[in-house]
Amino acid sequence: MRSNFVVLISGSGSNLQSLIDASQQDDSSFTIGAVISNVPAAYGLKRAQSANIEAIAIDHKAFPSREAFDQQLVETLKTLNPDGVILAGFMRILTPSFIQAFEDRILNIHPSLLPKYPGLHTHKRALQAGDSEAGCSVHFVTEALDGGPLIAQASVPVERNDTPDTLAARVLTEEHKLYPAVAQWFGEGRLRLRDNVAELDGQPVQL
Ligand code: GRF
């Protein structure tokens, strides 16, 4: 039986597309049961529809508080009963009650070599710091913002004339390879979160 994942997005959904493409391989360990966006106009919802995946908009602006939005999100997810929740450019900070509801089952991709540059504007910050490499990280989501246990990273060189946009594009190419690979491991049941450490095949991940 393939694992059933729900993907949460807010925007273009290029990472979502890479996950959809991977899920459609004959030997994929996972399917995508639904895509949820907090932005109704997000292009990623169209990508889901084109792939015949249920596309759900839950507009955070329609809720009086972060907690109320998250409660709706949790209720919707519970009806979908996913094995895992995959954040792919989901630009909302999740409340502890959301994270507890799906503890150990939420993954995120972040466009930096964590623990460097949690939060926003990662590429600009890497350039300002004069870093010689940049990259992306996939991690389990815990209550620490962009601070959950790391699962995998991919790095790219920073080039002399890079702007935040050129660097972002180079990193994004790696995101599109890394996230589907990690999602396959997750679907195969090879990833676990134990004592706040990610494990792959029973061994602590060391990066
Ligand atoms: C990616 O850079 C991802 O790492 C970050 O948000 C961006 C989403 O891009 N969390 P897309 O919507 O997948 O194209």
Side-chain angles (χ1 to χ4, degrees), residues 145-166:
L145 176 66
D146 297 327
L150 291 170
I151 297 168
Q153 293 183 314
S155 52
V156 299
V158 174
E159 294 186 0
R160 203 151 41 92
N161 296 324
D162 265 334
T163 64
D165 285 348
T166 59

Side-chain angles (χ1 to χ4, degrees), residues 8-12 35-46 55-62 69 73 89-92:
L8 269 49
I9 61 160
S10 299
S12 134
V35 172
I36 302 176
S37 173
N38 66 303
V39 177
Y43 181 65
L45 288 174
K46 295 203 171 59
I56 301 168
I58 304 177
D59 186 352
H60 66 275
K61 293 194 184 133
F69 168 72
L73 202 54
F90 183 66
M91 302 301 284
R92 301 285 302 170

Side-chain angles (χ1 to χ4, degrees), residues 99-154:
I99 291 164
Q100 281 152 21
F102 298 97
E103 202 149 35
D104 306 358
R105 283 188 289 155
I106 315 170
L107 301 187
N108 183 41
I109 190 160
H110 183 77
S112 77
L113 294 172
L114 290 170
K116 277 190 164 182
Y117 316 129
L120 298 175
H121 310 302
T122 54
H123 307 299
K124 186 174 164 197
R125 289 155 71 196
L127 291 175
Q128 278 171 348
D131 292 353
S132 58
E133 62 169 12
C136 53
S137 308
V138 178
H139 62 95
F140 277 109
V141 174
T142 62
E143 289 175 31
L145 176 66
D146 297 327
L150 291 170
I151 297 168
Q153 293 183 314

Side-chain angles (χ1 to χ4, degrees), residues 7-29:
V7 183
L8 269 49
I9 61 160
S10 299
S12 134
S14 68
N15 277 288
L16 166 66
Q17 188 65 55
S18 71
L19 293 164
I20 291 173
D21 294 346
S23 75
Q24 290 173 339
Q25 305 286 324
D26 287 344
D27 58 354
S28 174
S29 66

